Amino acid sequence: MEMSANGRIMDSPSLIVEKRKELDVRVDGCVPFSHQVAGHKCGIDNTGVLQHPDGTILKQLQHPPRGPREMLFYKQVYDQDCTDVRLLDLRQHLPKFYGTWAPRESPHELYLKLEDVTRRFLRPCIMDVKIGRRSYDPFASHDKREQQIRKYPLMEEIGFLLLGMRVYQINSESYITYDQLYGRSLGMDTVKNGLTTFFHNGKDIRRDAISQIISKIKSILRWFESQTQLHFYASSLLLVYEGSTRRVNGTNHRRVETESQCNHGSLTRSGRTHCQPYCTDLSLSERNINGTRGGSIEEDWEKQVGLGEGVEVKMIDFAHVFPSDGPDESYMYGLRNLLSNLEQVVKD
């Protein structure tokens, strides 16, 4: 690991491999997720998000009421009997949900089992952006509100915060990582520079990736403009684009970093796990991602490999989602300001 003069952490691919070899395999074959750029450090050995041997990621439920609230949100959106058009439309903007998982040694330690949206990328560049004018929910205590405001007083004005990013540099074949302290150092006049940094590969600004990401964020904004039933607080967007210029079989979107591979057919169960998407009565080999028979997680991933788009934008972190009777103006404000800044980066 190398440290630059301004505190950025740089990892070369060889060092990444060495560090991963040093990591002991966790319970039931799970290992720390190598692409986590922000979020809580919890779970087995306080490692944060875990990667399951089948390629999904595991996010441990937070303490009540946050964890149960997030689990309920996923279950409602991905309920196989869901007929709510707005929730059905929302699925395209979320990681796919495969129920809950628990290690054999700790059957009461629940994890959300989610799609790894970075899986199809060779060198994924990743940024976690918290969206909204405030990062506390209506039920937060006075102390909690003051604490969140102190962390980033400009949240109300800017409407988003760069929580962390990991950017692949093509010249050095290494990653540069920025944490939330970097994001909090950005003001109204410099937040655009932070976005530019995320899309700079050491040689060029990836305007092609920015344009594709803008299109996806606009799609999310249209969903918010169409709904009045939910408000999202302290929720994030996960932005991903392909950082490698190498092409594999005519496309540059196949991920090769993950050492664990899919078991074709049906998923192997380890410990107590509920892997079925949206249900608990059919195996993954019997039900596909749309809730119908005939598919599996592995087949779904195979369909993604080779798609023309080299970007992903997904909404994540739903521990503070509440029913409402009006539009989520705070979240939409953040999306619009993020779009405005990204469009300016493209023009510059």
Side-chain angles (χ1 to χ4, degrees), residues 25-38:
V25 174
R26 296 322 200 252
V27 175
D28 295 333
C30 300
V31 297
F33 182 54
S34 61
H35 294 300
Q36 183 176 359
V37 296

Side-chain angles (χ1 to χ4, degrees), residues 2 7 21 38 42 53 66 78 111 128-129 169 176 206 225 254 272 323 342-343 347:
E2 302 172 24
K21 286 181 178 178
C42 59
R66 292 173 296 173
Y78 283 105
Y111 290 74
D128 185 322
V129 187
Q169 305 293 284
I176 299 178
R206 289 289 306 280
E225 290 172 338
R254 192 175 186 92
R272 185 169 68 85
L342 287 172
E343 288 165 350
K347 293 177 184 177

Side-chain angles (χ1 to χ4, degrees), residues 151-347:
K151 282 183 178 180
Y152 194 54
L154 293 174
M155 193 78 179
E156 177 76 18
E157 188 174 4
I158 295 177
F160 64 88
L161 167 63
L162 309 187
L163 289 178
M165 67 176 89
R166 193 164 183 253
V167 190
Y168 186 69
Q169 305 293 284
I170 60 173
N171 293 335
S172 60
E173 296 186 341
S174 64
Y175 279 97
I176 299 178
T177 302
Y178 297 81
D179 63 15
Q180 59 182 308
L181 294 179
Y182 172 76
R184 292 174 188 167
S185 73
L186 301 172
M188 287 293 295
D189 297 331
T190 56
V191 69
K192 181 170 67 70
N193 297 339
L195 294 171
T196 302
T197 297
F198 175 60
F199 290 101
H200 200 289
N201 62 11
K203 182 179 179 182
D204 303 300
I205 296 175
R206 289 289 306 280
R207 289 182 172 82
D208 59 320
I210 302 174
S211 297
Q212 292 180 68
I213 283 177
I214 285 174
S215 177
K216 287 183 175 291
I217 295 176
K218 285 182 176 179
S219 180
I220 293 174
L221 177 58
R222 286 193 295 270
W223 182 84
F224 272 90
E225 290 172 338
S226 73
Q227 71 91 29
T228 57
Q229 65 197 76
L230 294 172
H231 278 194
F232 294 73
Y233 302 93
S235 185
S236 292
L237 287 186
L238 192 69
L239 312 184
V240 188
Y241 71 89
E242 178 56 64
S244 174
T245 57
R246 292 175 53 193
R247 301 184 69 82
V248 181
N249 296 326
T251 178
N252 62 348
H253 304 327
R254 192 175 186 92
R255 167 122 173 236
V256 297
E257 282 190 85
T258 303
E259 293 157 354
S260 59
Q261 300 295 325
C262 291
N263 297 310
H264 293 284
S266 62
L267 285 182
T268 301
R269 287 174 179 263
S270 56
R272 185 169 68 85
T273 174
H274 303 288
C275 304
Q276 299 89 340
Y278 336 146
C279 65
T280 57
D281 60 336
L282 294 176
S283 70
L284 285 168
S285 60
E286 296 173 313
R287 181 176 292 275
N288 67 18
I289 201 62
N290 294 316
T292 58
R293 292 178 182 270
S296 68
I297 292 179
E298 291 82 6
E299 291 168 354
D300 185 61
W301 280 329
E302 288 302 316
K303 289 176 184 177
Q304 292 185 62
V305 174
L307 292 180
E309 285 189 329
V311 306
E312 280 284 11
V313 178
K314 297 294 184 183
M315 296 170 60
I316 59 172
D317 297 336
F318 306 112
H320 303 276
V321 178
F322 295 90
S324 70
D325 55 4
D328 192 343
E329 298 291 353
S330 173
Y331 199 102
M332 289 191 291
Y333 177 92
L335 288 178
R336 290 173 181 140
N337 206 26
L338 177 60
L339 283 169
S340 176
N341 278 273
L342 287 172
E343 288 165 350
Q344 191 61 50
V345 173
V346 173
K347 293 177 184 177

